[in-house]
Amino acid sequence: MKKFLLIAGIAIVLSCNKKETKAHPHDHPHTMESENTFKDPKNPLNKLTYASNLDFSCNMDVSKYGVSDTVTYKGKLYGFCSSVCKDDFMKKPDEHLAKNQK
């Protein structure tokens, strides 16, 4: 019984010490940490000037990781890492802008 408690205690301690990594809210390949995640210089969307360097849906730095979708809202161009993020932004754009423009 003592061995079981010792093993269970060690397992609990080890599981509590795991580093928590912040995962991207959407599952798309360019967000995997093990892959090359920097922007593709051949993508024409990465050459445009955006109102912000942030994807306002997931807070990804699109100036570093690249853009795969865009939207013009209230006369400003915004870049997004995915169409999922763009669609999320368009559901409540003013809310996303207010939350991210402090």
Side-chain angles (χ1 to χ4, degrees), residues 49-84:
T49 303
Y50 297 98
S52 173
N53 289 337
L54 285 181
D55 175 328
F56 282 146
S57 177
C58 69
N59 294 320
M60 181 180 281
D61 184 346
V62 293
S63 68
K64 182 177 179 182
Y65 296 106
V67 173
S68 67
D69 210 341
T70 65
V71 69
T72 300
Y73 181 72
K74 292 188 177 180
K76 294 184 179 181
L77 182 63
Y78 297 96
F80 299 92
C81 68
S82 69
S83 59
V84 174

